[in-house]
Amino acid sequence: MKPKHLSLLVLTLLVVAAPFFFPSGFYYRIGALIFINAIAVTGLVILIGYAGQISLGHAGFAGIGAYACALAPEHLGLPPVAAILLGTALSAALAWLVGKPILRLHGYYLGVATLGLGILISMVLSNEAQWTGGPDGIAVPDLGLRGLLRDLGWRIGAGELWYGLAGTVMILGAWLALNLFDSPTGRALRALHGSEVAARTMGIDVARHKLHAFVVSAVYASVSGSLLALMNRLITPDVAGFMHSVQMVTMAVLGGVGSVLGAIFGATILTALPQLLTVFHQYEHMVLGLVMILVMIFLPDGLLPSLMKRLRGRDGE
Amino acid sequence: MSALLEIDGLGIAFGGITAVDDVSFAVRAGEIVSVIGPNGAGKTTLFNMISGLYRPSQGKVRLEGAEITAMEPHLLARRGLSRTFQNLQVFGEMTLLENVMVGHHLREKAGVLSDLLGLPASRQKTRASAESALALLARVGLEKAAYRAARTMSYGALKRLEIARALALAPKILLLDEPAAGCNAVETEEIDRLIAEIARAGVAILLVEHDMKLVMKISAHLVVLDHGRKIAEGAPAEVARDPQVIAAYLGQHGQEQVLHAEG
């Protein structure tokens, strides 16, 4: 079996099997939250892991996706599903416009530029209170899927529904990212990560490929934000905030930013821990920082790839 | 026969310091031309200008008669100019096979959406690319290591990998920057054979190399640089006798010794 199919199989089995171990219905919500975070983190695997470009502002795109679902149904009369698509279109357009100039930057400079972009979006969401409800947030209409299912004679709890829905979208997202990995575009991205100079001389339009990775990862973040908003039925500008961006990057780096499964693993740990251990919740930001430092020092490849390496012996060759 | 690559009065200055000054020469199809000169003579700088990494401050580069001066490297690749690097530029985390497959990029593009969805067009291109990449790896003797990550390989192997990757572009002209540097005698011989073979297939080769034995043996034509200027040009045997060349390599004192020995 190809690694891609194995990864997808493992992921699907875990999503399907996990509920059998849930002590209570509360855990469906945690599961759904994990999947929603994992979607955004999968996007970062494409941007950071494949293409080697950092972003500290991707929560901004999650914010756009979230507020699209809050505002478009009310102001444009769109159904929530169309609002998700509108959010991704807006995020993609913004990522394309902003990415063109800032992806010329390297390393720290790109980090700071994307940081600025994220802060800008969260400021707009906080300050345009007449539209967004300001820092207190805004209510989000119901997706309507549960009602639809009930009419079809299938009664399902909100937690279970979101668990299934977010899990499906996450697996779909992982499938796309894994397809990309072993494709001409994926190889071009990984090549420019390895050596930009060599990639250019091999005929790769580096600027264009970076932009593609940036736009695709923005779409992932946007979908993640939309699902979060629709699940929680309330959204605040925190979804676009700096902490959320850092959280995404930490999840990716902790699990292993070069691998889709690893990043989802990282998202699982960092989402579940603060939910399960309330003690941890108070110190979440501190622990996030600590995790980042420790991973960088001891497991620069991330948890999952480092573990796999150790299991298979050096370098896994 | 007209020249494939023409270098016409090429020069570049970095902050007032002239690194390469008014260098001209030409390379014909299937011909091996070597650029030699002491360390710091401007050979790699010259390569970087020809391959579009540096913007020359004077002069022109023409490929098949069309001006390509300071053109973006990925556009030069499209026109059939390919190169290797003196200080290895391999894609370390990718397998050897994938490294070479990157060289097929221009032929295998299918579009981001198709690649994300894993459409048959993308998968078909990946399969075809892998096949011909494997053949190229076999040509440089690396097919057994095809699925190993590049960073786990030896220096000499990576030098050959860079040649295979550059060939994947199916270039008209190949710029090789010290392909034998750091290689042992056996590896050097292998590279020597490989270069001759590539040229026989009709690819023009512009070579920078320190291994004089190799250069003298395979080059049709030598260009000698010293302090960024061309000091001699011609057939290897001719150039080797040129007193200016001897002086540049051995210093004034050495030249006297050589003359003394000859006299």
Side-chain angles (χ1 to χ4, degrees), chain B residues 209-229:
Chain B
E209 183 52 64
H210 274 300
D211 188 324
M212 273 305 140
K213 239 173 66 194
L214 176 72
V215 168
M216 292 293 172
K217 198 166 111 194
I218 65 174
S219 314
H221 199 81
L222 290 188
V223 175
V224 190
L225 295 188
D226 187 29
H227 297 296
R229 293 178 153 278

Side-chain angles (χ1 to χ4, degrees), chain B residues 140-167:
Chain B
V140 300
L142 289 172
E143 74 276 22
K144 287 208 181 74
Y147 297 97
R148 285 181 58 176
R151 71 186 146 71
T152 65
M153 302 298 292
S154 75
Y155 188 82
L158 293 180
K159 281 276 179 191
R160 279 180 288 149
L161 174 65
E162 277 210 353
I163 296 179
R165 185 180 67 184
L167 284 176

Side-chain angles (χ1 to χ4, degrees), chain A residues 7 11 64 86 248:
Chain A
S7 297
L11 202 58
I64 292 174
L86 177 69
M248 287 181 193

Side-chain angles (χ1 to χ4, degrees), chain A residues 166-244:
Chain A
T168 308
V169 176
M170 176 190 71
I171 293 171
L172 200 68
W175 174 68
L176 294 174
L178 289 166
N179 281 339
L180 190 69
F181 184 84
D182 189 25
S183 75
T185 302
R187 277 188 295 279
L189 292 177
R190 290 184 289 139
L192 74 89
H193 185 183
S195 165
E196 214 170 304
V197 169
R200 287 164 74 198
T201 59
M202 286 300 114
I204 292 169
D205 186 341
V206 165
R208 209 170 120 243
H209 277 92
K210 283 184 187 176
L211 195 58
H212 285 162
F214 196 64
V215 170
V216 169
S217 65
V219 167
Y220 273 88
S222 182
V223 170
S224 160
S226 291
L227 293 179
L228 186 71
L230 289 167
M231 180 172 84
N232 287 346
R233 303 288 310 274
L234 175 84
I235 204 75
T236 69
D238 285 345
V239 67
F242 173 57
M243 273 323 295
H244 191 204

